[in-house]
Amino acid sequence: MSSQQGDPSKSLIKNLDILLSGRTLADLLIVDNRSGMYCDHVFNGIPISDYQGEPKDRALYLLKDYLMRRILPVEDVRQSIKEDFLDAVFT
């Protein structure tokens, strides 16, 4: 699910275009701890904190709750992601 040019040691950009057969971007999302990894599809990206191995890390539990509450019920995931993660950045 990644595309890259040049040095293979550089980070890969996640590209949702390869998943579009029978789907639309309204149906797809990316969860990543580095927002630069989904810069081609910023309205499909959900940021998550780095996992450091802490036993009390709750990020995935919070993500599950968010997905159930804000993503599962909508027709277009991009609107919820924009409202919840991007509007504050761009206003």
Side-chain angles (χ1 to χ4, degrees):
M1 167 168 11
S2 300
S3 65
Q4 173 187 357
Q5 300 210 2
D7 186 347
S9 67
K10 291 186 179 179
S11 296
L12 300 174
I13 306 283
K14 294 179 176 148
N15 184 351
L16 292 177
D17 293 335
I18 64 172
L19 299 174
L20 290 178
S21 178
R23 300 177 189 92
T24 69
L25 288 174
D27 301 320
L28 301 171
L29 60 85
I30 297 171
V31 176
D32 203 298
N33 62 328
R34 296 180 295 175
S35 60
M37 298 300 99
Y38 52 86
C39 62
D40 289 346
H41 299 285
V42 69
F43 294 112
N44 295 84
I46 297 175
I48 193 165
S49 59
D50 292 342
Y51 177 67
Q52 302 293 328
E54 299 101 7
K56 295 183 181 185
D57 186 296
R58 306 254 325 131
L60 291 178
Y61 293 108
L62 295 172
L63 174 64
K64 179 193 78 99
D65 292 344
Y66 174 77
L67 294 173
M68 298 296 288
R69 186 181 80 257
R70 289 287 291 151
I71 299 298
L72 195 60
V74 300
E75 294 285 325
D76 189 337
V77 301
R78 297 169 297 180
Q79 185 61 39
S80 292
I81 292 170
K82 179 182 178 295
E83 290 171 5
D84 297 338
F85 299 104
L86 298 173
D87 278 350
V89 174
F90 293 115
T91 56

